[in-house]
Amino acid sequence: MAALSGELKASGASFPNTYYQEVILSLKDAAPNFKVTYNSVGSGTGKKEFGSGLVDFAGTDSTVKDTDGVPAGSYLYIPTVAAPITVSYNLKGVDKLQLSPVTLAKIFQREIKTWNAPEIAADNPGVTLPATAISVAHRSDGSGTTNNFTKYLVAAAGAAWKLGSGDTVAWPADTQAGAKNTGVAQLIKAADGGIGYVDLSDAKDSGLPFVAIKNKDGQFVLPTLDGATAALAGAELKDDLTFNPLNAAGATSYPITAPTYLLVKPKYDDPKKAELVKGFVKYLLTDGAAIAAEVNYAVLPADLQAKALAQLDKVS
């Protein structure tokens, strides 16, 4: 590792950004002549930049679609970490809140507009809820966090969720949009009655409280790394190494646990570039994994980590 010398540029998902930046920082000691830049611009922009050849690899929390500008056969998925997507809120006088998937769907569709609505009260027996108006915050940019949050609602709320899923969806007009996870966190913080979806690391950084979400087994579970790890254990793995831990079974599983991936080329025009990409991603998956829990990310199970490293070996 120490002998690696050169520069890589990458962009993409903001969801794993805190983790990637910490690993890049630790590179300064591990490989002083190796510079990696990761620009947190959202999964949608990252995929486009990778497809256009503007970056050497890209981060995404969502799989590649035909409309993303990434040609078929030009990429491999390398899973890196997973983490809870929190439902964070800001409500004076309420420091403990729990929601079922259908109630959550109705809040984000603006069918429930005040915090003392009967559906929210039914999820929170014994809690005094104010008549404060609900202010919904979501992502303004093409986002894998949005993709996973809405995929969860499709799976868990069924017919109650009507907006579908994707890197972008048609949110109601009276909702607020913020760029990246940090932008959503700021909007929630700015509004008494605010609610939105934010990765665990950014939500913790902003000091927001989290909703306990009713999981598939009927348990209300807060977003934690243990809850994410439990969800990972029940996730089905596809041949391309994409996997879906959303709405996973298990009493302790946190149901809005999202994966994240790097997109790398199977073959780089410059063998030196291939060597650098492989060196960095291997470091991220091995030595760098020790950093993950410190910044609120769950490491891959050992068998999946081994498969990710085998996938990386295909790069030339």
Side-chain angles (χ1 to χ4, degrees):
M1 188 70 198
L4 286 176
S5 159
E7 191 172 341
L8 291 176
K9 287 183 182 173
S11 68
S14 65
F15 178 75
N17 181 56
T18 304
Y19 173 53
Y20 292 167
Q21 298 301 347
E22 286 295 321
V23 173
I24 287 166
L25 204 58
S26 76
L27 259 187
K28 287 184 178 172
D29 293 326
N33 298 316
F34 187 13
K35 185 185 177 190
V36 180
T37 308
Y38 181 82
N39 190 12
S40 168
V41 289
S43 296
T45 301
K47 285 185 277 194
K48 283 186 178 65
E49 291 186 349
F50 179 75
S52 303
L54 297 174
V55 291
D56 302 308
F57 63 90
T60 182
D61 316 317
S62 54
T63 54
V64 174
K65 304 285 182 292
D66 292 345
T67 51
D68 285 335
V70 186
S74 71
Y75 62 92
L76 294 169
Y77 292 107
I78 309 285
T80 56
V81 285
I85 297 172
T86 72
V87 177
S88 294
Y89 69 100
N90 174 16
L91 187 58
K92 273 188 195 135
V94 179
D95 55 10
K96 191 180 174 194
L97 191 68
Q98 54 190 39
L99 295 172
S100 60
V102 170
T103 307
L104 191 63
K106 288 179 176 178
I107 289 169
F108 276 83
Q109 280 169 177
R110 303 291 290 144
E111 291 166 11
I112 296 173
K113 295 194 174 185
T114 58
W115 279 107
N116 63 347
E119 296 95 331
I120 300 176
D123 283 346
N124 294 273
V127 177
T128 304
L129 295 161
T132 310
I134 295 172
S135 173
V136 170
H138 59 82
R139 289 284 287 274
S140 58
D141 49 329
S143 155
T145 310
T146 299
N147 193 302
N148 283 303
F149 180 66
T150 53
K151 262 170 76 177
Y152 162 73
L153 288 169
V154 168
W161 179 249
K162 304 177 187 84
L163 302 185
S165 68
D167 286 6
T168 57
V169 298
W171 297 104
D174 61 345
T175 55
Q176 291 187 291
K180 302 192 282 190
N181 278 282
T182 47
V184 175
Q186 284 163 1
L187 287 174
I188 301 164
K189 232 177 161 173
D192 182 31
I195 189 170
Y197 53 94
V198 185
D199 72 276
L200 181 63
S201 186
D202 284 314
K204 278 194 166 182
D205 284 350
S206 49
L208 291 163
F210 316 132
V211 176
I213 304 292
K214 192 176 191 176
N215 70 12
K216 204 171 189 174
D217 286 32
Q219 304 298 311
F220 286 99
V221 180
L222 283 163
T224 64
L225 292 190
D226 286 345
T229 302
L232 284 180
E236 190 182 331
L237 185 67
K238 293 186 178 173
D239 289 345
D240 63 3
L241 298 196
T242 61
F243 61 101
N244 182 10
L246 296 165
N247 204 34
T252 61
S253 291
Y254 179 70
I256 324 178
T257 294
T260 194
Y261 312 96
L262 292 179
L263 297 178
V264 300
K265 295 179 185 179
K267 187 166 180 60
Y268 285 83
D269 295 336
D270 178 359
K272 169 84 173 162
K273 193 73 77 177
E275 182 195 3
L276 292 176
V277 169
K278 290 174 83 168
F280 173 70
V281 180
K282 186 176 181 182
Y283 179 75
L284 186 82
L285 290 168
T286 54
D287 294 5
I291 298 167
E294 294 171 21
V295 285
N296 304 299
Y297 294 87
V299 295
L300 302 177
D303 60 334
L304 181 50
Q305 183 205 40
K307 285 175 179 169
L309 288 165
Q311 181 92 304
L312 187 62
D313 282 342
K314 296 175 189 173
V315 174
S316 64

